[in-house]
Amino acid sequence: FPAPLWQSGGMEGGKPMRMLIPIAAGLLALPAAPAAAQQDISAPGTVPHRAADTGFPERVGEFSRTSVVRFDPGGRDNSGSYELVRPDGRMRLTVYVYPARRAANRDRAGICRAEFDGVRQVIVQQHGAASQLEEGPAAAMSGVEDGLSHRSVHRIRASFLTEREEELRSETQLYCYVRDDWLVKYRATSNLGL
Protein backbone atom coordinates (compact mmCIF):
# COMPACT_ATOMS: atom_id res chain seq x y z
CA PHE A 1 0.00 0.00 0.00
CA PRO A 2 1.14 3.54 -0.48
CA ALA A 3 2.04 5.48 2.64
CA PRO A 4 -0.95 6.85 4.62
CA LEU A 5 -2.13 10.29 3.56
CA TRP A 6 -4.01 11.17 6.73
CA GLN A 7 -4.88 14.77 7.15
CA SER A 8 -6.87 15.99 10.10
CA GLY A 9 -7.65 19.38 8.65
CA GLY A 10 -5.55 22.26 9.82
CA MET A 11 -6.55 25.30 11.78
CA GLU A 12 -7.86 28.21 9.80
CA GLY A 13 -8.85 31.34 11.66
CA GLY A 14 -8.99 29.37 14.93
CA LYS A 15 -11.50 26.86 13.52
CA PRO A 16 -10.61 23.37 12.26
CA MET A 17 -10.79 23.01 8.50
CA ARG A 18 -13.06 20.34 7.08
CA MET A 19 -11.71 16.90 7.83
CA LEU A 20 -10.11 15.03 4.93
CA ILE A 21 -9.03 11.51 5.68
CA PRO A 22 -7.89 9.60 2.64
CA ILE A 23 -5.68 6.73 3.82
CA ALA A 24 -3.76 4.31 1.71
CA ALA A 25 -6.37 1.73 0.88
CA GLY A 26 -10.02 0.91 0.49
CA LEU A 27 -12.28 0.39 3.36
CA LEU A 28 -15.49 -1.36 4.25
CA ALA A 29 -17.63 -2.32 7.20
CA LEU A 30 -18.07 -6.02 7.59
CA PRO A 31 -20.15 -7.46 10.39
CA ALA A 32 -18.35 -7.06 13.70
CA ALA A 33 -16.38 -10.08 14.83
CA PRO A 34 -17.42 -11.70 18.09
CA ALA A 35 -15.67 -10.08 21.04
CA ALA A 36 -13.82 -13.33 21.75
CA ALA A 37 -12.19 -13.15 18.30
CA GLN A 38 -10.96 -9.58 18.83
CA GLN A 39 -7.42 -9.27 20.09
CA ASP A 40 -5.49 -6.12 20.97
CA ILE A 41 -2.15 -6.51 19.20
CA SER A 42 -0.72 -3.09 20.08
CA ALA A 43 3.06 -2.98 20.36
CA PRO A 44 5.77 -0.31 20.20
CA GLY A 45 6.67 0.89 16.71
CA THR A 46 4.68 0.17 13.57
CA VAL A 47 2.34 -2.80 14.01
CA PRO A 48 2.38 -4.68 10.70
CA HIS A 49 -0.64 -5.87 8.76
CA ARG A 50 1.39 -8.51 6.96
CA ALA A 51 -1.35 -9.85 4.73
CA ALA A 52 -2.01 -6.37 3.28
CA ASP A 53 1.68 -5.39 3.28
CA THR A 54 1.00 -2.26 5.33
CA GLY A 55 1.05 -1.27 8.98
CA PHE A 56 -0.21 1.02 11.73
CA PRO A 57 2.54 3.47 12.84
CA GLU A 58 2.61 4.92 16.37
CA ARG A 59 2.09 8.45 15.04
CA VAL A 60 0.59 9.93 11.91
CA GLY A 61 1.06 13.68 11.84
CA GLU A 62 -0.46 15.00 15.06
CA PHE A 63 -2.38 11.76 15.71
CA SER A 64 -1.14 9.25 18.31
CA ARG A 65 -2.07 5.59 18.03
CA THR A 66 -4.19 4.30 20.92
CA SER A 67 -4.71 0.67 19.84
CA VAL A 68 -4.40 -1.94 17.11
CA VAL A 69 -7.00 -4.72 17.02
CA ARG A 70 -7.00 -8.00 15.09
CA PHE A 71 -10.52 -9.28 14.37
CA ASP A 72 -9.68 -12.69 12.91
CA PRO A 73 -7.22 -15.47 13.78
CA GLY A 74 -5.52 -15.21 10.36
CA GLY A 75 -4.61 -11.54 10.86
CA ARG A 76 -6.30 -10.31 7.67
CA ASP A 77 -8.90 -8.08 9.37
CA ASN A 78 -7.22 -5.38 11.50
CA SER A 79 -7.83 -1.84 12.69
CA GLY A 80 -5.74 0.93 14.16
CA SER A 81 -7.19 3.73 16.30
CA TYR A 82 -5.65 7.17 16.66
CA GLU A 83 -6.45 10.32 18.64
CA LEU A 84 -5.73 13.98 18.25
CA VAL A 85 -6.26 15.98 21.45
CA ARG A 86 -6.36 19.77 21.45
CA PRO A 87 -7.43 22.23 24.13
CA ASP A 88 -10.72 22.81 22.28
CA GLY A 89 -11.60 19.16 21.63
CA ARG A 90 -10.63 15.75 20.38
CA MET A 91 -10.75 13.70 17.19
CA ARG A 92 -10.72 9.90 17.13
CA LEU A 93 -9.78 8.17 13.87
CA THR A 94 -10.06 4.42 13.29
CA VAL A 95 -8.66 2.80 10.16
CA TYR A 96 -9.90 -0.67 9.21
CA VAL A 97 -8.10 -2.82 6.62
CA TYR A 98 -9.76 -6.14 5.69
CA PRO A 99 -10.26 -8.46 2.73
CA ALA A 100 -12.62 -7.54 -0.08
CA ARG A 101 -15.09 -10.12 -1.30
CA ARG A 102 -13.94 -11.72 -4.55
CA ALA A 103 -15.98 -10.38 -7.47
CA ALA A 104 -15.81 -9.72 -11.18
CA ASN A 105 -14.91 -6.12 -12.05
CA ARG A 106 -18.44 -5.45 -13.33
CA ASP A 107 -19.92 -6.39 -9.91
CA ARG A 108 -17.53 -4.48 -7.66
CA ALA A 109 -19.35 -1.11 -7.63
CA GLY A 110 -22.61 -2.74 -6.50
CA ILE A 111 -20.85 -4.78 -3.82
CA CYS A 112 -19.00 -1.68 -2.62
CA ARG A 113 -22.24 0.31 -2.42
CA ALA A 114 -23.95 -2.47 -0.45
CA GLU A 115 -21.04 -2.59 2.00
CA PHE A 116 -21.19 1.17 2.46
CA ASP A 117 -24.94 1.01 3.05
CA GLY A 118 -24.14 -1.49 5.81
CA VAL A 119 -21.69 0.99 7.35
CA ARG A 120 -24.35 3.70 7.43
CA GLN A 121 -26.89 1.28 8.95
CA VAL A 122 -24.48 0.49 11.79
CA ILE A 123 -24.11 4.21 12.56
CA VAL A 124 -27.89 4.62 12.72
CA GLN A 125 -28.26 1.46 14.86
CA GLN A 126 -25.58 2.62 17.30
CA HIS A 127 -26.85 6.21 17.37
CA GLY A 128 -30.61 6.23 16.81
CA ALA A 129 -30.74 10.02 16.56
CA ALA A 130 -27.97 10.20 13.95
CA SER A 131 -28.68 12.66 11.17
CA GLN A 132 -26.88 12.42 7.86
CA LEU A 133 -25.32 15.72 6.80
CA GLU A 134 -23.47 14.71 3.63
CA GLU A 135 -22.99 11.74 1.31
CA GLY A 136 -21.05 11.18 -1.89
CA PRO A 137 -17.81 9.75 -3.24
CA ALA A 138 -14.74 9.83 -1.01
CA ALA A 139 -11.70 11.85 -2.03
CA ALA A 140 -9.89 10.28 -4.98
CA MET A 141 -7.19 7.77 -4.13
CA SER A 142 -4.63 6.52 -6.59
CA GLY A 143 -5.48 3.02 -7.78
CA VAL A 144 -9.13 3.11 -6.65
CA GLU A 145 -11.60 3.22 -9.54
CA ASP A 146 -14.59 5.55 -9.76
CA GLY A 147 -17.60 4.08 -7.98
CA LEU A 148 -15.41 2.22 -5.50
CA SER A 149 -15.25 4.90 -2.81
CA HIS A 150 -17.95 6.41 -0.62
CA ARG A 151 -18.16 9.05 2.08
CA SER A 152 -20.81 10.10 4.55
CA VAL A 153 -20.95 12.57 7.40
CA HIS A 154 -23.36 12.22 10.30
CA ARG A 155 -24.15 14.29 13.34
CA ILE A 156 -24.53 12.00 16.34
CA ARG A 157 -25.05 12.31 20.09
CA ALA A 158 -22.72 10.19 22.19
CA SER A 159 -20.39 10.39 25.16
CA PHE A 160 -16.91 11.30 24.01
CA LEU A 161 -14.75 13.25 26.44
CA THR A 162 -16.96 12.72 29.47
CA GLU A 163 -19.84 10.43 30.37
CA ARG A 164 -22.35 13.07 29.29
CA GLU A 165 -23.59 12.93 25.72
CA GLU A 166 -22.64 15.69 23.33
CA GLU A 167 -23.01 16.59 19.66
CA LEU A 168 -20.33 14.94 17.52
CA ARG A 169 -19.43 14.86 13.85
CA SER A 170 -18.75 11.38 12.46
CA GLU A 171 -17.23 10.99 8.99
CA THR A 172 -16.80 7.65 7.26
CA GLN A 173 -14.84 6.97 4.08
CA LEU A 174 -14.74 3.59 2.40
CA TYR A 175 -12.37 2.53 -0.38
CA CYS A 176 -13.07 -0.81 -2.07
CA TYR A 177 -10.80 -3.21 -3.93
CA VAL A 178 -7.60 -1.43 -3.06
CA ARG A 179 -4.88 -3.40 -4.82
CA ASP A 180 -7.78 -5.67 -5.88
CA ASP A 181 -7.94 -7.46 -2.53
CA TRP A 182 -8.60 -4.99 0.28
CA LEU A 183 -11.22 -2.74 1.79
CA VAL A 184 -10.08 0.28 3.76
CA LYS A 185 -12.49 2.21 5.94
CA TYR A 186 -11.80 5.40 7.87
CA ARG A 187 -14.08 6.56 10.63
CA ALA A 188 -13.36 9.91 12.27
CA THR A 189 -15.40 11.22 15.18
CA SER A 190 -14.86 14.65 16.63
CA ASN A 191 -16.26 17.44 18.73
CA LEU A 192 -13.93 19.91 16.98
CA GLY A 193 -15.48 22.62 14.83
CA LEU A 194 -19.09 21.50 14.85
Side-chain angles (χ1 to χ4, degrees):
F1 288 152
L5 303 172
W6 306 348
Q7 298 176 340
S8 65
M11 297 296 284
E12 194 173 275
K15 294 183 179 178
M17 291 169 46
R18 191 170 138 209
M19 196 179 337
L20 176 63
I21 307 166
I23 299 183
L27 186 128
L28 214 78
L30 297 175
Q38 297 179 20
Q39 180 182 7
D40 187 332
I41 57 171
S42 299
T46 298
V47 177
H49 186 311
R50 287 187 176 83
D53 194 25
T54 192
F56 301 99
E58 285 184 322
R59 295 192 57 81
V60 177
E62 294 179 59
F63 286 86
S64 297
R65 191 183 68 215
T66 57
S67 67
V68 179
V69 175
R70 179 172 50 214
F71 295 99
D72 69 322
R76 295 176 55 81
D77 183 353
N78 299 334
S79 73
S81 293
Y82 295 81
E83 282 199 355
L84 169 67
V85 179
R86 293 188 173 158
D88 58 337
R90 174 180 294 181
M91 181 182 295
R92 186 173 299 142
L93 170 65
T94 303
V95 182
Y96 303 83
V97 178
Y98 52 98
R101 187 173 115 196
R102 294 277 175 219
N105 285 348
R106 69 180 180 277
D107 298 330
R108 289 180 173 187
I111 291 168
C112 185
R113 181 69 211 187
E115 290 291 339
F116 189 69
D117 288 344
V119 169
R120 289 184 308 127
Q121 288 173 358
V122 167
I123 292 169
V124 171
Q125 288 171 355
Q126 291 176 344
H127 308 283
S131 60
Q132 185 170 308
L133 304 175
E134 299 176 36
E135 181 177 342
M141 182 183 290
S142 178
V144 176
E145 296 174 23
D146 289 342
L148 297 181
S149 69
H150 299 279
R151 173 183 175 268
S152 68
V153 178
H154 288 82
R155 175 140 311 157
I156 62 174
R157 285 196 63 76
S159 56
F160 194 56
L161 298 175
T162 65
E163 292 196 18
R164 112 185 130 71
E165 286 192 350
E166 59 184 302
E167 291 284 322
L168 302 171
R169 181 181 190 275
S170 179
E171 179 171 346
T172 303
Q173 294 187 18
L174 172 66
Y175 295 89
C176 303
Y177 298 98
V178 176
R179 292 177 51 195
D180 286 327
D181 296 325
W182 300 98
L183 299 171
V184 178
K185 180 176 71 177
Y186 304 96
R187 174 119 186 245
T189 302
S190 178
N191 62 359
L192 290 166
L194 287 176

